[in-house]
């Protein structure tokens, strides 16, 4: 169950990064909507991370949380914001995913 919560916390990290980018691109009252989304997702992400670290090692939890956020944010950038995609970006993205999976399998 803790690994599921950790994954969800990582997804909320992606959401707050997405909201920051959308806030940067928006104008007027719409900006406040995106900042509100940022703060809500930040609160949820950190809250879940705190809960998870009560049962899982802090180093593993933080590394996986950050990795999920990084992978998700890169994918959001590629699919929603037309960021470039090339061989090396995909290669290192795959090594990051494999590292996250490796931490899951070697953790007790």
């Amino acid at each position: 169950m803790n690994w599921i919560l950790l994954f969800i916390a990582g997804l909320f990290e992606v959401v707050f990064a997405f909201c920051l980018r959308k806030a940067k691109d928006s104008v007027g009252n719409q900006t406040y909507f995106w900042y509100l989304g940022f703060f809500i997702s930040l609160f949820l992400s950190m809250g879940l991370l705190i809960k998870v670290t009560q049962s899982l090692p802090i180093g593993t939890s933080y590394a996986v949380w950050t990795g999920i956020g990084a992978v998700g944010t890169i994918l959001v950038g590629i699919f929603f914001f037309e960021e470039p995609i090339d061989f090396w970006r995909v290669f290192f993205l795959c090594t990051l995913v494999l590292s996250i999976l490796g931490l899951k399998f070697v953790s007790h």
Side-chain angles (χ1 to χ4, degrees), residues 58-96:
I58 185 71
T60 302
S61 300
Y62 185 73
V64 170
W65 176 75
T66 305
I68 291 169
V71 168
T73 303
I74 290 168
L75 292 175
V76 164
I78 290 169
F79 291 114
F80 291 96
F81 301 116
E82 299 176 6
E83 291 182 1
I85 183 169
D86 59 23
F87 171 79
W88 289 111
R89 199 164 185 183
V90 172
F91 173 78
F92 288 115
L93 187 63
C94 290
T95 60
L96 185 53

Side-chain angles (χ1 to χ4, degrees), residues 3 6 49 52-64 107-108:
W3 284 96
L6 183 57
L49 182 62
V52 166
T53 57
Q54 294 171 355
S55 301
L56 296 175
I58 185 71
T60 302
S61 300
Y62 185 73
V64 170
S107 296
H108 301 295

Side-chain angles (χ1 to χ4, degrees), residues 2 5-10 41-58 61-62 65:
N2 286 314
L5 292 178
L6 183 57
F7 182 76
I8 293 169
S41 57
L42 177 66
F43 176 78
L44 291 169
S45 182
M46 293 293 173
L48 288 170
L49 182 62
I50 290 167
K51 180 169 177 40
V52 166
T53 57
Q54 294 171 355
S55 301
L56 296 175
I58 185 71
S61 300
Y62 185 73
W65 176 75

